[in-house]
């Protein structure tokens, strides 16, 4: 009878054991799944993936907050250094290593072609610098210049030519080929290398990236996401012995929590918590306790709602501020490099000027020593020249040293190693120098025009002819220079024909002068046959020179060459006869056989008459009527021709003159434009709105604190050991209201008062920045007006100094006119200073013009960081009289959250057009006169 009972009990026990086994198996699977899930989620992404996600979020936010605005970064913006940059990360990016501390020189290769393209440089002999004495420079004068300085001098073609002349005349070798393979950089390449390697530029890119990264975190809080902490697994194992009984416990606690900040300023939290406790070897053997909780909680501040949004608002606005700062930094980056570059090429130009000055002083010193040895000048004049020579050499060497220092400073700004070998491409300097030379030529033309106008008041034919020829020569030289600069071509045929006609007339005057001299000798009471013979030969030579001028005119008039050929052959025979007769006279004098002199006189007179007949024949071919000896008529013809020349030269001078282009904007319009467009001023207005918002937030802190919190907790049935069997029978609903009375708001009161002070300080900062911007614009326009006036003065001074150097050097060499060494040295110094002033004023104008466009926020750089209108000399700034659409809202935008109306009021500030409240009685300011 026990068997059925035992069997029954056995069956019952087996069924219970099977259920318990299945339940234990389910619990173990759940526990293992929880462990695996926690471990997997802890290693779900690699470092590289996290970095990539951060890059994606930051880049997208930067584009989103700046899309369609002038401060939008270029598409190629990246926080990573360019692969060609010196700062490109070496090795694994997500597991970087410290760099090798061993010094390495010349380790960075500039990302330029291995064999730099040789760019066009100045053409030989194209300079307005005078070379009054054509002798070569002695070798010792070259060797007294350090090698490094000579290398800089040989960057200029004219100075290379001077060295070649020395090498040829003194049969020595002066090496002029230096710097082979060293890259020559222009401004565009300098800016590009700066973008690649500048430490400051890379820091600015990273600053923009970091504020966008901070915004990504703030926006992340407004999405439903796992909490940053508390998502994980806690595992505990305990081994306990009590009263000889062993109890082992293995516990697993897991938790998942999600949170989100709502657009109302509230917080939402949802969490799932699971606890599994397994007991082994206890009094009841194996036991399991499994439970789970779901928690939903919502908290909403009532009075301090706006405070909750402040971190997001700050992050949003900081991205806009940083994007504007970065855009303006790129503009300032270009402007700084342009200023540094133009200062450097000005120093290069100074090397060329001081080298020419040094050469002139060397020649003057050699001449002065020779004259001293001949007893023509006292020693103190030689010492004066030598003193200036020493000063000139010292100044040249000092300028070369300054160029080397400036190059190293440029390398530091570019971010490349200072030992890198670079040079400056002087193509632009050559072009600027030609423009300066053209301006000087234009002033020289004006000076000749004034002399001609004065000469017409009391006309002397030979003076009018010679001065007219000088005027045409200068006009033709200026027109040729315009052609080399690629400027529109001007017609020169009329000028060339006029010049040839003037030369023919000038030669006729020379013939007339020699004829008068011969006639005076023939009419004298006791004429001398040798004198008559010599003057007759001189007349023949003068007529032959007149024939040469006539042939040039015939060629310009495109007469038939075959028609002129017999006359040319006859002229050549006449030249040979003049030489033969001169040799016969010399032989007669040496042999004392003067009795045959009358025969030579007859032959010379026949030759003179034959040459005169050739002149008449050529005149007929040229269509020139035979002269009737009417001096007044000839003078009147010349006066008419010169007047026509003056009118034509005045027309050409308008085309030749290359002064600095004026800026066509008034001071008031420029100031208004800058106040409307400046990025930093927009940021300052945003800062003021931030300060105003802080007043509201600080005032909220003075109020009572009232928070509403609602929570719902749902648990699992404790008797089921099922982790997902949630039952509202095991739940809790809580509604909590927190109120904090404002009984102690001392700290908040002080913070509120500080916010009011900070706002007033912000108003002053905004006004101060506006005044600074207006001052900068006014000062830029003043500087530009001054540069233009000073440039014209420097050009006039250079033209005057050029004529002064030419005249004093000629008279000093000939020893006429009472010119001493001091006069020549003063003229040479004045010319050197004038050339330096011309170059400096043009470069100052370029830099100041760039600064004006930057200060007006009208300078825009392309993807390579370059401002293309830099080379458009007539490019003018636009005027703005109201805020553009991209500048609104004026005080910045707010994120799309439920801000109070008080905070949103700055978005609706009405903005009208700019007002100029200047009194009518005051004169209107212009760019030529910035001050009332």
């Amino acid at each position: 009878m026990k068997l059925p009972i035992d069997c029954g009990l056995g069956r019952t026990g087996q069924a219970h054991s099977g259920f318990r086994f299945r339940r234990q198996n389910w619990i173990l699977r759940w526990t293992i799944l929880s462990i695996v899930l926690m471990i997997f989620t802890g290693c779900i992404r690699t470092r590289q993936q996290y970095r990539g996600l951060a890059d994606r979020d930051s880049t997208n936010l930067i584009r989103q907050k700046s899309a369609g605005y002038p401060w939008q970064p270029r598409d190629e913006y990246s926080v990573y250094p360019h692969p060609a940059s010196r700062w490109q990360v070496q090795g694994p990016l997500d597991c970087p290593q410290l760099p090798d501390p061993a010094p390495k020189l010349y380790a960075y290769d500039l990302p330029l072609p291995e064999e730099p393209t040789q760019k066009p440089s100045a053409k030989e002999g194209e300079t307005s610098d005078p070379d009054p004495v054509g002798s070569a420079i002695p070798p010792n004068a070259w060797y007294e210049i350090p090698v490094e300085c000579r290398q800089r001098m040989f960057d200029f073609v004219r100075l290379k030519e001077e060295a070649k002349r020395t090498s040829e005349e003194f049969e020595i070798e002066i090496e002029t080929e230096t710097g082979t393979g060293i890259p020559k950089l222009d401004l565009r390449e300098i800016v590009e290398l700066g973008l690649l390697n500048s430490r400051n530029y890379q820091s600015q890119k990273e600053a923009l990236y970091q504020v966008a990264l901070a915004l990504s975190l703030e926006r992340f809080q407004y999405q439903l996401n796992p909490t940053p902490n508390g998502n994980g697994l806690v595992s505990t194992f305990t081994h306990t012995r009590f009263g000889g009984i062993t109890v082992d416990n293995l516990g697993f606690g897991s938790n998942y929590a999600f949170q989100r900040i709502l657009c109302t300023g509230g917080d939402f939290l949802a969490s799932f918590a699971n606890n599994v406790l397994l007991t082994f070897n206890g009094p009841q053997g194996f036991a399991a306790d499994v439970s789970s909780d779901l928690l939903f909680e919502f908290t909403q501040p009532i009075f301090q709602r706006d405070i909750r949004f402040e971190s997001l608002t700050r992050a949003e606005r900081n991205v806009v501020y940083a994007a504007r700062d970065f855009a303006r930094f790129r503009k300032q980056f270009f402007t700084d490099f342009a200023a540094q570059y133009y200062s450097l090429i000005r120093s290069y130009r100074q090397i060329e000027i001081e080298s020419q000055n040094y050469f002139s002083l060397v020649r003057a010193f050699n001449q002065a020593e020779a004259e001293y040895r001949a007893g023509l000048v006292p020693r103190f004049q030689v010492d004066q020249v030598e003193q200036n020579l020493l000063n000139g050499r010292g100044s040249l060497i000092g300028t070369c040293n300054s160029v080397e220092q400036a190059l190293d400073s440029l390398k530091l700004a570019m971010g490349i190693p200072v030992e890198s070998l670079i040079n400056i491409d002087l193509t632009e300097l050559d072009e600027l120098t030609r423009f300066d030379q053209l301006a000087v030529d234009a002033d020289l033309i004006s000076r000749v025009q004034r002399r001609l106008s004065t000469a017409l008041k009391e006309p002397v034919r030979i003076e009018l002819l010679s001065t007219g020829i000088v005027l045409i020569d200068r006009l033709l030289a200026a027109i040729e220079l315009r052609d080399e600069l690629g400027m529109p071509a001007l017609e020169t045929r009329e000028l060339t024909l006029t010049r040839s006609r003037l030369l023919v007339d000038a030669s006729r005057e020379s013939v007339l002068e020699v004829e008068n001299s011969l006639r005076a000798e023939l009419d004298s009471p006791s004429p001398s046959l040798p004198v008559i013979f010599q003057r007759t030969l001189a007349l023949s030579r003068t007529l032959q020179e007149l024939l040469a001028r006539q042939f040039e005119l015939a060629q310009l008039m495109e007469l038939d060459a075959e028609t002129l050929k017999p006359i040319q052959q006859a002229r050549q025979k006449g030249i040979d006869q003049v030489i033969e007769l001169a040799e016969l006279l010399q032989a007669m004098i040496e042999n004392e056989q003067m009795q045959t002199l009358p025969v030579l006189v007859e032959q010379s007179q026949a030759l003179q008459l034959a040459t005169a007949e050739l002149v008449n024949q050529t005149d007929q071919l040229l269509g020139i009527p035979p002269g009737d000896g009417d001096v007044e008529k000839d003078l009147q013809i010349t006066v008419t021709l010169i007047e026509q020349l003056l009118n034509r030269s005045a027309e050409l001078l308008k085309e030749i003159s290359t002064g600095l282009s004026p800026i066509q904007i008034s001071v008031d319009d420029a100031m208004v434009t800058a106040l409307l467009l400046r990025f930093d001023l927009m940021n300052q207005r945003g800062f003021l709105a931030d300060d105003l918002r802080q007043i509201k937030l600080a005032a909220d802190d003075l109020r009572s604190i009232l928070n509403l919190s609602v929570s719902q907790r749902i648990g699992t049935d404790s008797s089921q050991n099922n982790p997902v069997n949630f039952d509202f029978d095991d739940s809790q609903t809580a509604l909590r209201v927190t109120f904090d009375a404002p009984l102690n708001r001392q700290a908040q009161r002080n913070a509120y008062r500080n916010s009011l002070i900070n706002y007033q300080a912000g108003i002053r900062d905004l006004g101060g920045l506006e005044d600074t911007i207006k001052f900068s614009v006014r000062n830029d326009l003043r500087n530009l007006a001054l540069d233009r006036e000073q440039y014209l003065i420097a050009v006039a001074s250079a033209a005057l100094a050029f004529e002064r150097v030419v005249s004093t050097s000629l008279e000093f060499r000939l020893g006429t006119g009472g010119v001493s060494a001091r006069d020549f040295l003063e003229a040479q110094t004045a010319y050197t200073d004038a050339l330096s002033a011309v170059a400096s004023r043009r470069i100052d104008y370029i830099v100041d013009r760039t600064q004006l466009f930057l200060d007006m926020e009208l300078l825009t750089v392309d993807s390579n960081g370059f401002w293309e209108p830099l080379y458009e000399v007539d490019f003018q700034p636009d005027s703005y009289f109201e805020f553009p659409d991209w500048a609104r809202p004026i005080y910045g935008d707010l994120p799309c959250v439920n801000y109070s109306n008080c905070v949103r009021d700055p978005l609706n500030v009405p903005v009208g057009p700019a007002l100029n409240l200047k009194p009518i009685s005051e004169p209107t300011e212009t760019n030529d006169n910035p001050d009332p």
Side-chain angles (χ1 to χ4, degrees):
M1 292 183 63
K2 294 181 180 179
L3 183 59
I5 298 173
D6 293 338
C7 291
L9 291 174
R11 286 193 298 269
T12 303
Q14 289 174 358
H16 179 71
S17 298
F19 171 74
R20 184 171 60 185
F21 174 77
R22 288 193 301 272
R23 186 175 62 183
Q24 293 171 356
N25 190 28
W26 190 92
I27 294 172
L28 287 174
R29 286 200 301 270
W30 171 260
T31 303
I32 294 172
L33 178 62
S34 298
I35 296 173
V36 171
L37 183 61
M38 285 297 178
I39 295 175
F40 175 74
T41 54
C43 304
I44 192 169
R45 291 190 178 99
T46 63
R47 291 185 182 183
Q48 183 178 4
Q49 290 172 326
Y50 276 116
R51 174 171 53 83
L53 290 173
D55 292 345
R56 182 198 65 187
D57 290 347
S58 295
T59 303
N60 289 340
L61 285 171
I62 291 172
R63 291 175 179 171
Q64 176 188 346
K65 298 299 292 183
S66 58
Y69 294 98
W71 52 82
Q72 179 179 358
R74 294 284 175 175
D75 293 338
E76 62 273 8
Y77 166 80
S78 173
V79 73
Y80 298 104
H82 191 275
S85 172
R86 179 187 177 192
W87 313 114
Q88 173 64 17
V89 178
Q90 304 296 327
L93 190 62
D94 296 291
C95 189
Q97 300 175 352
L98 291 174
D100 183 2
K104 295 181 179 63
L105 298 180
Y106 307 101
Y108 178 66
D109 296 328
L110 297 182
L112 297 170
E114 294 183 1
E115 296 182 359
T117 302
Q118 295 298 324
K119 302 176 182 178
S121 57
K123 294 184 179 180
E124 299 179 6
E126 291 183 0
T127 176
S128 61
D129 299 339
D131 188 10
V133 182
S135 60
I137 304 301
N140 65 301
W142 288 102
Y143 297 143
E144 288 173 349
I145 302 296
V147 176
E148 296 80 4
C149 188
R150 290 206 301 270
Q151 291 176 350
R152 294 298 173 206
M153 293 169 62
F154 294 147
D155 286 332
F156 300 93
V157 173
R158 181 177 174 85
L159 304 187
K160 278 187 177 183
E161 290 300 316
E162 290 284 3
K164 289 180 181 179
R165 290 175 60 193
T166 300
S167 300
E168 293 171 358
E169 182 168 332
F170 293 91
E171 298 182 354
I172 62 169
E173 184 64 28
I174 297 180
E175 180 61 40
T176 60
E177 298 300 326
T178 58
T180 304
I182 297 177
K184 294 184 177 182
L185 308 179
D186 58 17
L187 178 57
R188 193 182 301 272
E189 292 166 334
I190 289 171
V191 173
E192 289 177 358
L193 283 173
L195 293 178
L196 287 179
N197 298 291
S198 170
R199 292 175 285 270
N200 197 11
Y201 182 72
Q202 181 62 27
S203 298
Q204 290 291 329
K205 291 199 299 182
E206 291 167 350
L208 176 59
Y209 178 92
Q210 287 173 329
V211 294
L213 198 62
L215 175 58
S216 69
L217 177 60
E218 292 297 332
R219 286 196 172 185
F220 185 79
Q221 308 296 329
Y222 285 79
Q223 302 171 6
L224 185 61
N225 289 296
T227 57
N229 298 299
N231 293 297
L233 174 68
V234 177
S235 177
T236 305
F237 174 78
T238 59
H239 176 75
T240 306
R241 290 182 60 83
F242 182 76
I245 299 174
T246 300
V247 178
D248 294 327
N249 292 326
L250 178 61
F252 298 94
S254 60
N255 187 76
Y256 295 94
F258 294 83
Q259 66 180 11
R260 177 181 179 182
I261 301 176
L262 303 178
C263 291
T264 62
D267 289 315
F268 174 76
L269 175 67
S271 68
F272 169 77
N274 173 247
N275 290 294
V276 178
L277 178 63
L278 303 179
T279 302
F280 303 93
N281 301 325
Q284 298 179 354
F286 175 78
D289 184 10
V290 180
S291 64
S292 299
D293 279 335
L294 279 176
L295 174 63
F296 301 95
E297 185 174 2
F298 169 73
T299 302
Q300 175 65 51
I302 303 302
F303 297 145
Q304 281 77 25
R305 181 185 62 187
D306 292 337
I307 298 175
R308 192 70 179 86
F309 302 137
E310 182 60 18
S311 58
L312 173 65
T313 304
R314 283 282 184 170
E316 294 266 359
R317 294 167 73 89
N318 284 343
V319 173
V320 177
Y321 298 155
R324 288 173 181 158
D325 288 340
F326 181 67
R328 183 154 179 84
F329 172 81
R330 294 185 78 241
K331 300 178 182 183
Q332 186 68 58
F333 188 79
F334 168 79
T335 304
D336 291 344
F337 270 114
Q340 200 166 1
Y341 165 79
Y342 282 110
S343 175
L344 188 54
I345 66 172
R346 173 166 45 194
S347 298
Y348 270 91
R349 173 62 176 150
Q350 193 65 26
I351 288 178
E352 184 182 22
I353 293 172
E354 291 184 357
S355 297
Q356 294 293 347
N357 178 57
Y358 174 65
F359 294 155
S360 298
L361 293 172
V362 168
R363 293 186 176 107
F365 176 67
N366 292 337
Q367 178 188 347
E369 278 204 321
E371 292 176 351
Y372 170 73
R373 288 192 296 268
L376 300 177
V377 297
R379 184 66 201 179
F380 76 88
Q381 288 196 11
V382 180
D383 294 339
Q384 287 177 348
V385 178
E386 184 178 12
Q387 184 67 56
N388 278 45
L389 172 62
L390 294 175
N391 293 338
R393 184 166 74 236
S395 179
L396 173 60
I397 296 172
T399 302
C400 291
N401 185 65
S402 299
V403 167
E404 299 299 332
Q405 292 178 348
L407 276 174
D408 283 349
S409 298
L410 179 62
K411 296 172 192 175
L412 287 175
M414 293 163 59
I416 64 175
V418 293
E419 73 275 8
S420 298
L421 299 178
I422 65 170
N423 202 353
I424 299 299
D425 174 31
L426 300 181
T427 303
E428 183 177 356
L429 174 60
D430 173 59
E431 182 176 345
L432 295 177
T433 302
R434 293 186 187 190
F435 275 114
D436 292 339
Q437 179 182 338
L438 187 57
V440 173
D441 288 348
D443 195 88
L444 288 171
I445 292 170
S446 298
R447 297 178 65 82
V448 179
Q449 287 177 332
R450 291 194 294 270
R451 288 207 301 268
L452 266 180
S453 299
T454 303
L456 285 173
K457 297 176 180 179
E458 298 180 0
V460 177
R461 189 164 189 252
I462 187 61
E463 181 183 358
L464 293 177
L465 292 172
S466 59
T467 309
I469 293 170
V470 172
L471 175 60
I472 295 177
D473 286 339
R474 291 183 175 176
L475 283 170
L476 292 175
I479 292 173
E480 182 182 359
L481 192 56
R482 288 181 83 259
D483 296 339
E484 294 171 358
L485 288 168
M487 302 173 72
L490 297 176
E491 180 58 45
T492 60
R493 174 175 171 77
E494 180 184 349
L495 283 176
T496 307
L497 282 172
T498 303
R499 178 180 183 275
S500 185
R501 290 191 176 97
L502 292 177
L503 285 172
V504 170
D505 289 344
S507 296
R508 291 186 195 280
E509 288 294 312
S510 298
V511 169
L512 181 60
E513 181 180 354
V514 176
E515 281 182 346
N516 292 333
S517 175
L518 175 59
R519 187 175 295 107
E521 183 63 28
L522 291 173
D523 295 341
S524 64
S526 56
S528 171
L529 284 181
V531 173
I532 293 173
F533 175 76
Q534 290 178 346
R535 291 184 179 179
T536 304
L537 282 185
L539 180 57
S540 297
R541 292 193 188 95
T542 308
L543 288 168
Q544 288 164 357
E545 292 175 359
L546 172 58
L547 277 172
R549 300 298 185 189
Q550 288 176 317
F551 293 155
E552 292 176 0
L553 178 59
Q555 185 177 6
L556 291 174
M557 296 175 64
E558 299 179 354
L559 295 183
D560 185 11
E562 293 298 326
T563 305
L564 291 171
K565 191 173 182 179
I567 301 177
Q568 291 174 333
Q569 292 174 349
R571 173 179 174 270
Q572 186 60 47
K573 290 181 181 180
I575 293 174
D576 295 338
Q577 287 180 339
V578 168
I579 296 174
E580 181 181 354
L581 289 173
E583 291 176 350
L584 288 175
L585 177 63
Q586 185 64 30
M588 289 173 56
I589 295 173
E590 292 176 356
N591 297 327
E592 298 181 355
Q593 299 177 353
M594 301 299 294
Q595 64 274 12
T596 59
L597 182 59
V599 177
L600 294 182
V601 171
E602 292 179 0
Q603 293 177 354
S604 65
Q605 290 175 341
L607 174 62
Q608 179 261 322
L609 293 174
T611 308
E613 180 60 26
L614 293 176
V615 170
N616 293 332
Q617 293 176 14
T618 309
D619 281 343
Q620 293 177 3
L621 293 175
L622 294 174
I624 299 176
D628 54 4
D630 189 344
V631 177
E632 290 297 328
K633 180 180 179 181
D634 292 339
L635 177 60
Q636 187 58 42
I637 293 174
T638 301
V639 168
T640 302
L641 185 62
I642 292 299
E643 289 176 345
Q644 293 174 353
L645 175 61
L646 280 175
N647 294 333
R648 177 58 179 158
S649 66
E651 296 175 0
L652 291 175
L653 188 60
K654 296 178 182 178
E655 301 291 336
I656 293 173
S657 182
T658 56
L660 304 179
S661 300
I663 297 296
Q664 302 294 341
I665 188 172
S666 70
V667 176
D668 290 346
D669 291 351
M671 288 191 295
V672 170
T673 300
L675 294 177
L676 292 172
L677 301 184
R678 280 285 289 262
F679 292 169
D680 51 350
L681 189 58
M682 292 180 186
N683 282 355
Q684 194 66 41
R685 294 191 188 101
F687 297 156
L688 183 63
D690 293 339
D691 292 337
L692 179 62
R693 193 172 60 256
Q694 295 305 313
I695 296 175
K696 169 63 167 60
L697 301 182
D700 286 348
D701 276 340
L702 295 173
R703 305 171 67 183
S704 301
I705 298 176
L706 179 62
N707 294 333
L708 176 64
S709 177
V710 179
S711 65
Q712 177 68 53
R713 183 183 297 275
I714 306 173
T716 57
D717 189 347
S718 58
S719 63
Q720 295 294 323
N721 278 346
N722 187 340
V724 294
N725 185 23
F726 294 101
D727 190 350
F728 276 94
D729 291 338
D730 292 326
S731 63
Q732 181 186 35
T733 302
L735 176 63
R736 182 170 62 256
V737 177
T738 303
F739 177 79
D740 185 4
L743 301 181
N744 184 350
R745 291 291 186 265
Q746 188 74 9
Q748 290 80 357
R749 182 208 66 179
N750 292 349
Y752 172 71
R753 189 64 186 93
N754 283 329
S755 68
L756 294 174
I757 294 175
N758 292 338
Y759 178 72
Q760 294 299 323
I763 291 179
R764 294 193 299 273
D765 292 340
L766 177 61
L769 182 55
E770 289 179 343
D771 290 341
T772 300
I773 290 173
K774 289 184 286 187
F775 169 78
S776 299
V777 171
R778 292 168 64 87
N779 200 45
D780 292 338
L781 290 173
R782 286 194 189 98
N783 289 338
L784 287 170
L786 177 63
D787 292 338
R788 292 183 64 242
E789 294 298 329
Q790 296 282 31
Y791 182 76
L792 295 176
I793 294 173
V795 166
S797 177
L800 175 61
F802 175 77
E803 292 187 337
R804 182 181 171 193
V805 167
V806 172
S807 60
T808 54
S809 61
L810 181 62
E811 293 180 4
F812 179 60
R813 282 165 33 212
L814 299 177
T816 61
V819 176
S820 65
R822 180 180 296 277
D823 298 322
F824 168 74
L825 295 175
E826 289 178 352
Q828 183 65 33
T829 301
Y831 183 71
T832 301
D833 294 342
L835 286 181
S836 301
V838 171
S840 295
R841 293 306 177 188
R842 179 176 287 276
I843 289 176
D844 287 343
Y845 178 83
I846 295 173
V847 174
D848 290 339
R849 175 174 171 267
T850 305
Q851 186 65 45
L852 171 66
F853 277 85
L854 174 66
D855 288 338
M856 292 180 64
E857 209 65 78
L858 295 175
L859 187 149
T860 56
V861 295
D862 57 19
S863 58
N864 296 321
F866 198 82
W867 183 49
E868 290 297 339
L870 175 69
Y871 300 129
E872 299 177 23
V873 294
D874 294 324
F875 186 78
Q876 296 293 333
D878 295 327
S879 298
Y880 285 76
F881 302 102
E882 60 182 15
F883 287 102
D885 292 338
W886 48 261
R888 303 168 186 267
I890 305 303
Y891 288 102
D893 209 346
L894 293 173
C896 296
V897 292
N898 192 18
Y899 260 123
S900 64
N901 292 333
C902 181
V903 175
R904 288 197 170 274
D905 283 344
L907 299 180
N908 303 317
V909 174
V911 180
L915 297 178
N916 190 342
L917 304 178
K918 182 178 182 179
I920 299 177
S921 58
E922 294 188 11
T924 302
E925 296 180 3
T926 65
N927 57 306
D928 290 328
N929 184 19
D931 285 328

